[in-house]
Amino acid sequence: MSRQTFQVEIADMGSFRARAGETLLDAALMSGVDMPHDCRSGTCGSCRCTVSSGSVEGGATDSPGDVLACQAKVMSDLQIVVEETPPVESFSATVKAIRDLSVDVAKVSLAVKGPFEMLPGQYVQVRFAGFPARCYSPSAPLEGPLERGVIRLQIKRVRNGRVSSALGREIQPGHKVKVIGPYGSAWLRPGQTNRLVLVASGAGFAPIWSIAHAALCEMPDREIVVVVGANSVSDFYMAPALWRLVAFPKTQVISVLRNADRRHPDLPVGSPVDHLPALRPGDIVYACGAPRMVEAVGAVARAAGAACYADPFVPGHGSAAGFWEPFARAVAAPLQMLRRSGARASTTA
Ligand code: FES
């Protein structure tokens, strides 16, 4: 007769019993083990853990051995490792400043009351008073130093969006905000030295920049490839950060124009997926942006045996942007210079 219950051991957290076919997360919570989680539907990635021995069914991720506990069904005795992340908490905040970074991305700075803690790449739920909650990934500053107690968001303006359309109108500096988090599994693991491949499209650059910034603070000569896509040259609002990246000795930036109608002589056209470096086992890949792009990056990473982390991101609608000449020049001129000098910050595939 097959066994009906199994023993699950979590490194440094104890053990619990699980019924055959029960999800790992349900079994843990029923036993009073507080595993990190949020959506319980396989979306947020907060419950990601590593199965070091035993077998589960379902819940697979792009990294071999890593599963989503809310989706993985227990099929044998298990040993698992749960990575420690800051606890999910609720904080009060106020809008400190709002500034347009491009025609459809706004920078919103929040002054948080209390010691808010999160890891580079995680995301938070933000509720501007009087508006529905939205999830955003805080970012490092594109320019200038980090400021303690400030959360920086890069928010894509969605046509008729309840929240993004109100930025700078009903939502002004001083507006009250509730921040809950942090969530997500696509955060930078400290202490690693493997090559990082960071892939972003549009405002998905926010967590990618946060990860790159933290990785370079930890190890300035780490090998990092950043592949970033935007619809048109004027959408490269992250140009100041790209400039900061190319100053590091082993960092390569590949900028890609997604819209073939808006060609630029120095920028390759296509999806960031078309311009990934050749991935290899040991690479650690992070992707954020349009779901189709993220999915495709995950498939390439999986085929190469690389680890891949990605959290959900819902793009806005109708983001047609006009050509912003001064900004376009600010992006294109450095790219031309880099190409002429043969620097590693190439924009070619
Ligand atoms: S709780 Fe499992 S993915 Fe969100």
mmCIF file of all heavy atoms in Angstrom, residues 25 35-48 67-72 123 183-185 311-312, ligand 1:
data_model
loop_
_atom_site.group_PDB
_atom_site.id
_atom_site.type_symbol
_atom_site.label_atom_id
_atom_site.label_comp_id
_atom_site.label_asym_id
_atom_site.label_seq_id
_atom_site.Cartn_x
_atom_site.Cartn_y
_atom_site.Cartn_z
ATOM 1 N N LEU A 25 3.071 24.216 0.540
ATOM 2 C CA LEU A 25 2.728 25.408 1.318
ATOM 3 C C LEU A 25 1.550 25.130 2.253
ATOM 4 O O LEU A 25 1.591 25.479 3.441
ATOM 5 C CB LEU A 25 2.387 26.578 0.384
ATOM 6 C CG LEU A 25 2.016 27.881 1.104
ATOM 7 C CD1 LEU A 25 3.192 28.416 1.916
ATOM 8 C CD2 LEU A 25 1.546 28.947 0.115
ATOM 9 N N MET A 35 5.926 29.546 6.228
ATOM 10 C CA MET A 35 6.714 29.688 4.989
ATOM 11 C C MET A 35 6.331 30.996 4.307
ATOM 12 O O MET A 35 5.157 31.356 4.276
ATOM 13 C CB MET A 35 6.395 28.537 4.025
ATOM 14 C CG MET A 35 7.233 27.298 4.241
ATOM 15 S SD MET A 35 6.879 26.068 2.972
ATOM 16 C CE MET A 35 8.032 26.543 1.708
ATOM 17 N N PRO A 36 7.294 31.708 3.700
ATOM 18 C CA PRO A 36 6.948 32.936 2.984
ATOM 19 C C PRO A 36 5.961 32.636 1.857
ATOM 20 O O PRO A 36 6.105 31.634 1.155
ATOM 21 C CB PRO A 36 8.288 33.408 2.400
ATOM 22 C CG PRO A 36 9.342 32.594 3.053
ATOM 23 C CD PRO A 36 8.708 31.358 3.598
ATOM 24 N N HIS A 37 4.963 33.465 1.672
ATOM 25 C CA HIS A 37 4.001 33.268 0.587
ATOM 26 C C HIS A 37 3.175 34.533 0.425
ATOM 27 O O HIS A 37 3.176 35.406 1.290
ATOM 28 C CB HIS A 37 3.069 32.081 0.877
ATOM 29 C CG HIS A 37 2.146 32.313 2.032
ATOM 30 N ND1 HIS A 37 2.559 32.205 3.342
ATOM 31 C CD2 HIS A 37 0.846 32.670 2.078
ATOM 32 C CE1 HIS A 37 1.547 32.469 4.142
ATOM 33 N NE2 HIS A 37 0.493 32.768 3.402
ATOM 34 N N ASP A 38 2.452 34.616 -0.680
ATOM 35 C CA ASP A 38 1.512 35.726 -0.873
ATOM 36 C C ASP A 38 0.308 35.260 -1.675
ATOM 37 O O ASP A 38 -0.738 34.967 -1.130
ATOM 38 C CB ASP A 38 2.210 36.906 -1.565
ATOM 39 C CG ASP A 38 1.252 38.050 -1.813
ATOM 40 O OD1 ASP A 38 0.369 38.261 -0.962
ATOM 41 O OD2 ASP A 38 1.361 38.726 -2.849
ATOM 42 N N CYS A 39 0.458 35.127 -3.018
ATOM 43 C CA CYS A 39 -0.715 34.915 -3.878
ATOM 44 C C CYS A 39 -1.326 33.522 -3.741
ATOM 45 O O CYS A 39 -2.508 33.332 -3.966
ATOM 46 C CB CYS A 39 -0.322 35.150 -5.337
ATOM 47 S SG CYS A 39 0.780 33.869 -5.996
ATOM 48 N N ARG A 40 -0.543 32.533 -3.440
ATOM 49 C CA ARG A 40 -0.951 31.127 -3.349
ATOM 50 C C ARG A 40 -1.489 30.600 -4.675
ATOM 51 O O ARG A 40 -2.210 29.617 -4.713
ATOM 52 C CB ARG A 40 -1.983 30.921 -2.226
ATOM 53 C CG ARG A 40 -1.423 31.323 -0.873
ATOM 54 C CD ARG A 40 -2.386 31.128 0.255
ATOM 55 N NE ARG A 40 -2.493 29.726 0.629
ATOM 56 C CZ ARG A 40 -2.949 29.322 1.801
ATOM 57 N NH1 ARG A 40 -3.317 30.200 2.707
ATOM 58 N NH2 ARG A 40 -3.035 28.049 2.064
ATOM 59 N N SER A 41 -1.159 31.251 -5.768
ATOM 60 C CA SER A 41 -1.654 30.799 -7.072
ATOM 61 C C SER A 41 -0.530 30.637 -8.094
ATOM 62 O O SER A 41 -0.778 30.583 -9.289
ATOM 63 C CB SER A 41 -2.690 31.795 -7.599
ATOM 64 O OG SER A 41 -2.075 33.058 -7.787
ATOM 65 N N GLY A 42 0.710 30.608 -7.644
ATOM 66 C CA GLY A 42 1.821 30.386 -8.572
ATOM 67 C C GLY A 42 2.247 31.626 -9.321
ATOM 68 O O GLY A 42 2.970 31.537 -10.310
ATOM 69 N N THR A 43 1.826 32.794 -8.860
ATOM 70 C CA THR A 43 2.122 34.015 -9.610
ATOM 71 C C THR A 43 3.253 34.840 -9.009
ATOM 72 O O THR A 43 4.137 35.297 -9.724
ATOM 73 C CB THR A 43 0.859 34.903 -9.679
ATOM 74 O OG1 THR A 43 -0.199 34.122 -10.198
ATOM 75 C CG2 THR A 43 1.090 36.104 -10.568
ATOM 76 N N CYS A 44 3.245 35.035 -7.701
ATOM 77 C CA CYS A 44 4.134 36.047 -7.118
ATOM 78 C C CYS A 44 5.562 35.556 -6.882
ATOM 79 O O CYS A 44 6.482 36.358 -6.803
ATOM 80 C CB CYS A 44 3.561 36.560 -5.803
ATOM 81 S SG CYS A 44 3.670 35.369 -4.453
ATOM 82 N N GLY A 45 5.772 34.265 -6.764
ATOM 83 C CA GLY A 45 7.122 33.733 -6.559
ATOM 84 C C GLY A 45 7.610 33.798 -5.124
ATOM 85 O O GLY A 45 8.720 33.360 -4.823
ATOM 86 N N SER A 46 6.786 34.336 -4.211
ATOM 87 C CA SER A 46 7.253 34.516 -2.829
ATOM 88 C C SER A 46 7.538 33.195 -2.120
ATOM 89 O O SER A 46 8.294 33.158 -1.159
ATOM 90 C CB SER A 46 6.209 35.283 -2.010
ATOM 91 O OG SER A 46 5.971 36.535 -2.571
ATOM 92 N N CYS A 47 6.895 32.098 -2.567
ATOM 93 C CA CYS A 47 7.009 30.826 -1.848
ATOM 94 C C CYS A 47 8.088 29.917 -2.436
ATOM 95 O O CYS A 47 8.150 28.737 -2.109
ATOM 96 C CB CYS A 47 5.665 30.103 -1.875
ATOM 97 S SG CYS A 47 5.172 29.661 -3.550
ATOM 98 N N ARG A 48 8.912 30.470 -3.315
ATOM 99 C CA ARG A 48 9.936 29.651 -3.974
ATOM 100 C C ARG A 48 10.870 29.015 -2.945
ATOM 101 O O ARG A 48 11.302 29.662 -1.990
ATOM 102 C CB ARG A 48 10.730 30.555 -4.910
ATOM 103 C CG ARG A 48 11.754 29.855 -5.764
ATOM 104 C CD ARG A 48 12.253 30.863 -6.785
ATOM 105 N NE ARG A 48 13.303 30.340 -7.611
ATOM 106 C CZ ARG A 48 13.420 30.633 -8.911
ATOM 107 N NH1 ARG A 48 12.551 31.414 -9.501
ATOM 108 N NH2 ARG A 48 14.407 30.160 -9.617
ATOM 109 N N VAL A 67 11.217 25.105 -6.640
ATOM 110 C CA VAL A 67 9.783 24.948 -6.914
ATOM 111 C C VAL A 67 9.002 26.042 -6.200
ATOM 112 O O VAL A 67 9.497 26.685 -5.266
ATOM 113 C CB VAL A 67 9.250 23.569 -6.443
ATOM 114 C CG1 VAL A 67 9.943 22.434 -7.177
ATOM 115 C CG2 VAL A 67 9.381 23.407 -4.930
ATOM 116 N N LEU A 68 7.767 26.236 -6.649
ATOM 117 C CA LEU A 68 6.841 27.122 -5.945
ATOM 118 C C LEU A 68 6.051 26.254 -4.975
ATOM 119 O O LEU A 68 5.315 25.343 -5.392
ATOM 120 C CB LEU A 68 5.909 27.816 -6.942
ATOM 121 C CG LEU A 68 6.608 28.708 -7.963
ATOM 122 C CD1 LEU A 68 5.607 29.256 -8.976
ATOM 123 C CD2 LEU A 68 7.347 29.855 -7.272
ATOM 124 N N ALA A 69 6.206 26.523 -3.683
ATOM 125 C CA ALA A 69 5.608 25.652 -2.665
ATOM 126 C C ALA A 69 4.090 25.636 -2.748
ATOM 127 O O ALA A 69 3.453 24.656 -2.369
ATOM 128 C CB ALA A 69 6.063 26.100 -1.279
ATOM 129 N N CYS A 70 3.483 26.716 -3.257
ATOM 130 C CA CYS A 70 2.016 26.746 -3.322
ATOM 131 C C CYS A 70 1.484 25.889 -4.462
ATOM 132 O O CYS A 70 0.281 25.647 -4.545
ATOM 133 C CB CYS A 70 1.507 28.180 -3.445
ATOM 134 S SG CYS A 70 1.897 28.953 -5.021
ATOM 135 N N GLN A 71 2.375 25.443 -5.361
ATOM 136 C CA GLN A 71 1.950 24.625 -6.503
ATOM 137 C C GLN A 71 2.512 23.208 -6.449
ATOM 138 O O GLN A 71 2.004 22.309 -7.130
ATOM 139 C CB GLN A 71 2.420 25.278 -7.817
ATOM 140 C CG GLN A 71 1.929 26.697 -8.003
ATOM 141 C CD GLN A 71 0.422 26.774 -8.047
ATOM 142 O OE1 GLN A 71 -0.218 26.111 -8.853
ATOM 143 N NE2 GLN A 71 -0.171 27.551 -7.149
ATOM 144 N N ALA A 72 3.573 23.008 -5.686
ATOM 145 C CA ALA A 72 4.263 21.711 -5.662
ATOM 146 C C ALA A 72 3.552 20.749 -4.717
ATOM 147 O O ALA A 72 3.361 21.059 -3.532
ATOM 148 C CB ALA A 72 5.710 21.915 -5.224
ATOM 149 N N TYR A 123 9.473 43.241 -4.928
ATOM 150 C CA TYR A 123 8.475 44.258 -5.233
ATOM 151 C C TYR A 123 7.552 44.480 -4.041
ATOM 152 O O TYR A 123 7.567 43.700 -3.077
ATOM 153 C CB TYR A 123 7.669 43.909 -6.491
ATOM 154 C CG TYR A 123 6.805 42.680 -6.401
ATOM 155 C CD1 TYR A 123 5.467 42.768 -6.021
ATOM 156 C CD2 TYR A 123 7.308 41.430 -6.715
ATOM 157 C CE1 TYR A 123 4.655 41.640 -5.963
ATOM 158 C CE2 TYR A 123 6.508 40.296 -6.655
ATOM 159 C CZ TYR A 123 5.187 40.405 -6.279
ATOM 160 O OH TYR A 123 4.394 39.294 -6.211
ATOM 161 N N TYR A 183 7.697 41.424 -1.499
ATOM 162 C CA TYR A 183 7.297 40.151 -2.085
ATOM 163 C C TYR A 183 8.288 39.759 -3.186
ATOM 164 O O TYR A 183 9.040 40.588 -3.679
ATOM 165 C CB TYR A 183 5.920 40.277 -2.745
ATOM 166 C CG TYR A 183 4.810 40.676 -1.821
ATOM 167 C CD1 TYR A 183 4.231 41.938 -1.922
ATOM 168 C CD2 TYR A 183 4.313 39.793 -0.870
ATOM 169 C CE1 TYR A 183 3.186 42.312 -1.088
ATOM 170 C CE2 TYR A 183 3.267 40.160 -0.037
ATOM 171 C CZ TYR A 183 2.707 41.424 -0.148
ATOM 172 O OH TYR A 183 1.681 41.789 0.671
ATOM 173 N N GLY A 184 8.144 38.498 -3.625
ATOM 174 C CA GLY A 184 8.846 38.069 -4.834
ATOM 175 C C GLY A 184 10.086 37.241 -4.564
ATOM 176 O O GLY A 184 10.649 37.259 -3.465
ATOM 177 N N SER A 185 10.471 36.493 -5.598
ATOM 178 C CA SER A 185 11.640 35.613 -5.477
ATOM 179 C C SER A 185 12.789 36.050 -6.374
ATOM 180 O O SER A 185 13.858 35.472 -6.333
ATOM 181 C CB SER A 185 11.245 34.186 -5.859
ATOM 182 O OG SER A 185 10.859 34.148 -7.223
ATOM 183 N N ASP A 311 9.813 37.755 -11.740
ATOM 184 C CA ASP A 311 8.539 37.953 -11.061
ATOM 185 C C ASP A 311 7.550 38.553 -12.049
ATOM 186 O O ASP A 311 7.943 39.100 -13.068
ATOM 187 C CB ASP A 311 8.719 38.881 -9.849
ATOM 188 C CG ASP A 311 9.331 38.126 -8.678
ATOM 189 O OD1 ASP A 311 9.114 36.905 -8.584
ATOM 190 O OD2 ASP A 311 10.034 38.750 -7.875
ATOM 191 N N PRO A 312 6.247 38.461 -11.755
ATOM 192 C CA PRO A 312 5.251 38.928 -12.717
ATOM 193 C C PRO A 312 5.309 40.434 -12.915
ATOM 194 O O PRO A 312 5.702 41.175 -12.026
ATOM 195 C CB PRO A 312 3.927 38.534 -12.067
ATOM 196 C CG PRO A 312 4.229 38.451 -10.621
ATOM 197 C CD PRO A 312 5.644 37.986 -10.516
HETATM 198 S S1 FES B 1 2.555 32.167 -2.973
HETATM 199 FE FE1 FES B 1 3.347 30.744 -4.348
HETATM 200 S S2 FES B 1 3.752 31.889 -6.132
HETATM 201 FE FE2 FES B 1 2.746 33.275 -4.804
#
